[in-house]
């Protein structure tokens, strides 16, 4: 038996022990090499093993028993809190509420289809002027959710009883002269990692598909207090990873032969298809930006810490964020205003001093554009008086993705330690996703996790030093940039900017399209700038108002039928 370290380093007076002990040392060596610690000699490895058994493992097991017996990271969050703030100057908090633009003269459309694609402000005006009731809106959107879900596979649970209860309360308040604001009576959906009492919170996973968490998530509370009405729990990829979940795989309404991508698959698809006026999703690394870009909706990934996460599945304590999927940047601003603020049970959330996006003077801003920016956005903002200049984000860190993977995977494994140890990862819907990543995470040493956080700190310093503009425009789905944005904690808004032909169209007359989007990035705690720029762009363009062709695909164009092996034309009466 041979071992790279050579048995000459191992000494024993009893020669009969050599083969067994040499074999044991070789196994130790293999383990240490997995941890990139193969520099220890045999005696030191045995010494470390003895110390681990006598000292470290009892502590590890005690900690695991104390705080890691429940999956999901809903309790006992890490107290190593990440703060993305760049300025150390203390500023006085301004008013909690933004000054929303007034809407007048909006009349109720005759078509339910037209109602379904109205903005939050327009729907709010219809409710406030009693042209429509919240109960009527709930009926319209539930009908659409049930109609299109069989093809899009974007809904986990219909919260119909709760929706009509909340809608009735909203209508009764209005009858008494009480108006809660622009979200009063407006239906919406929640990504199914967000807990709502009495309803399943499945996390998209067959391991948890019957789970009911009697927790009222902070973001749900905020929306309830604003008068919004929950109509459905929407698809999350299994354990918030991509678009595959225990019930299928969510599709893109603009091209339903392809999938929505990103774990906020349901919020993106449902908002795009006019199944909800808005939805709440989450991002750890691309789960807002990717599905928003694929499905052609406006979505905001806010500054880390802006929105409280109590009652929400945790992947990474220093990366997870909640944000809105909407028809427009103005709608995103309204929803953000309702859900932002300090969550008393989330130690990472903060009261951030955001200025009113509706009041930002964009002519005083200098905005960069990088090589992959959509130039139409650059030209439109320039025509609106914004100083647009070429820009490059400079940093020396070799792999932002590597830092993010170490951070996210180790944090996630801490939240699903019991899940992995009990073998539930074998039931996971896509074995090349979390199961593979979390098995690798098991052998990342603590010291190298901390080194990754130090590298993250260096990245933050370098990004801050090179951020010489008020914001910049660039591709929202460039993976390295997605990693950088999440590691730094900076906000980005995804903005639809047009369409192009799909590859390999099923017919010459297909109306399916590939959406084109861009991202507007701002420094941490400057979400108002990104929102103001996006609103300025959308004030003179209509890409965000386009409707996917789910009812009008084109002659001889077919869609997948989830109940059959082949394809069939879509039954619009379903």
């Amino acid at each position: 038996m041979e071992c790279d370290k050579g048995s000459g380093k191992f000494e024993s007076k009893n020669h009969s022990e050599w083969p067994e002990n040499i074999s044991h040392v070789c196994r130790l060596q293999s383990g240490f090499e997995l941890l990139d610690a193969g520099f220890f000699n045999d005696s030191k490895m045995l010494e470390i093993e003895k110390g681990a058994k006598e000292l470290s493992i009892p502590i590890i097991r005690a900690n695991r028993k104390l705080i890691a017996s429940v999956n999901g990271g809903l309790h006992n969050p890490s107290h190593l809190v990440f703060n993305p703030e760049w300025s150390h100057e203390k500023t006085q908090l301004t008013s909690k509420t933004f000054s929303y633009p007034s809407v007048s003269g909006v009349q109720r459309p005759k078509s339910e289809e037209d109602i379904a694609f109205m903005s939050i402000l327009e729907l709010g005006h219809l409710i406030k002027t009693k042209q429509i009731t919240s109960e009527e809106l709930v009926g319209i959107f539930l009908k659409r959710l049930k109609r299109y879900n069989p093809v899009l596979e974007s809904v986990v649970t219909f919260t119909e009883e709760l929706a009509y209860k909340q809608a009735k309360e909203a209508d009764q308040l209005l009858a008494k002269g009480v108006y809660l604001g622009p979200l009063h009576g407006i239906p919406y959906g929640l990504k199914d990692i967000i807990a709502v009492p009495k309803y399943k919170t499945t996390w998209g996973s067959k391991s948890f598909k019957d789970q009911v968490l009697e927790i009222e998530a902070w973001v749900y509370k905020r929306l309830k207090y604003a008068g919004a009405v929950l109509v459905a729990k929407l698809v999350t990829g299994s354990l918030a990873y991509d678009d595959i979940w225990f019930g299928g795989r969510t599709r893109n309404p603009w091209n339903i032969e392809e999938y929505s991508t990103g774990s906020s698959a349901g919020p993106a698809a449902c908002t795009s298809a006019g199944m909800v006026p808005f939805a709440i999703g989450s991002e750890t690394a691309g789960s807002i930006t990717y599905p928003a870009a694929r499905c052609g909706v406006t979505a905001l990934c806010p500054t880390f810490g802006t929105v409280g996460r109590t009652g929400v599945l945790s992947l990474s304590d220093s990366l997870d964020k909640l944000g809105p999927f909407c028809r427009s940047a103005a709608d995103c601003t309204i929803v953000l205003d309702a859900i932002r603020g300090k969550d008393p049970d989330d130690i990472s959330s903060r009261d951030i001093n955001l200025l009113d996006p509706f009041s930002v003077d964009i002519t005083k801003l200098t905005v960069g554009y990088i090589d992959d920016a959509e130039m139409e956005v650059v030209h439109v903002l320039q025509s609106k008086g914004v100083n647009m200049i070429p820009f490059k984000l400079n940093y020396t860190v070799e792999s932002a993705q590597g830092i993010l993977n170490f951070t996210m995977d180790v944090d996630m494994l801490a939240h699903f330690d019991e899940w992995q140890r009990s073998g539930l990862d074998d039931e996971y819907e896509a074995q090349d996703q979390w199961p593979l990543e979390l098995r690798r995470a098991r052998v990342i040493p603590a010291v190298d996790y901390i080194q990754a956080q130090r590298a993250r700190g260096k990245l933050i310093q370098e990004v801050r030093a090179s951020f010489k503009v008020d914001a910049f425009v660039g591709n929202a789905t460039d993976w390295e940039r997605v990693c950088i944005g999440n590691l730094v904690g900076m906000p980005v808004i995804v903005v639809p900017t047009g369409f192009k032909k799909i590859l390999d169209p099923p017919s010459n007359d297909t109306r399916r399209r590939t959406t084109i989007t861009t991202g507007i990035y701002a420094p941490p705690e400057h979400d108002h700038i990104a929102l103001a720029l996006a609103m300025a762009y959308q004030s003179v363009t209509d890409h965000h108002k386009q409707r996917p062709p789910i009812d009008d695909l084109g002659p001889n164009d077919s869609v997948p039928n989830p109940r059959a092996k082949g394809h069939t034309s879509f039954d619009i009466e379903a």
Side-chain angles (χ1 to χ4, degrees), residues 73-84 218 304-311 314 316-318 320 341-352 415:
L74 296 173
H75 311 285
N76 304 302
S78 169
H79 277 249
L80 299 175
V81 180
F82 171 60
N83 187 339
W218 177 252
F304 177 85
T306 303
V307 183
R309 304 171 304 184
T310 297
S314 179
S316 175
D317 291 315
S318 67
D320 297 340
K342 175 63 181 172
D343 172 356
D345 296 317
D346 178 359
I347 57 177
S348 69
S349 74
R350 294 171 297 134
D351 281 315
I352 296 176
H415 298 149

Side-chain angles (χ1 to χ4, degrees), residues 74 283 334 337:
L74 296 173
E283 169 139 358
I334 291 166
D337 199 22

Side-chain angles (χ1 to χ4, degrees), residues 144 148 151-152 253 256 273 547-553 559 570 572:
R144 291 182 67 84
Y148 296 118
V151 170
L152 294 181
I256 52 180
R547 304 176 188 180
I550 192 165
D551 271 338
D552 190 16
L553 298 173
V559 302
F570 183 46
I572 62 172

Side-chain angles (χ1 to χ4, degrees), residues 256-257 506-507 512 553-561 567-570:
I256 52 180
E257 286 286 354
S507 70
R512 300 180 191 178
L553 298 173
N556 304 314
D557 211 349
S558 62
V559 302
N561 181 353
H567 289 173
T568 182
S569 296
F570 183 46

Side-chain angles (χ1 to χ4, degrees), residues 19 50 327 343 410 510 554:
K50 183 174 183 292
R327 305 249 174 277
D343 172 356
V410 171
T510 185

Side-chain angles (χ1 to χ4, degrees), residues 15-43:
H15 290 198
S16 65
E17 295 179 5
W18 282 5
E20 181 182 348
N21 284 322
I22 290 171
S23 176
H24 179 65
V25 169
C26 288
R27 289 195 297 271
L28 278 179
Q29 179 189 328
S30 296
F32 275 81
E33 286 176 350
L34 276 178
L35 304 176
D36 194 26
F39 51 85
F40 292 113
N41 63 31
D42 299 349
S43 298

Side-chain angles (χ1 to χ4, degrees), residues 51-105:
K53 288 179 176 178
E54 294 178 356
L55 300 173
S56 301
I57 290 176
I59 295 170
I60 290 169
R61 288 177 175 170
N63 289 340
R64 187 185 305 131
K65 182 179 180 181
L66 181 66
I67 49 85
S69 60
V70 177
N71 296 299
L74 296 173
H75 311 285
N76 304 302
S78 169
H79 277 249
L80 299 175
V81 180
F82 171 60
N83 187 339
E85 184 179 2
W86 282 359
S87 173
H88 298 294
E89 297 178 3
K90 297 296 180 184
T91 55
Q92 187 174 359
L93 285 173
T94 56
S95 171
K96 276 278 188 182
T97 304
F98 300 146
S99 299
Y100 310 123
S102 60
V103 176
S104 60

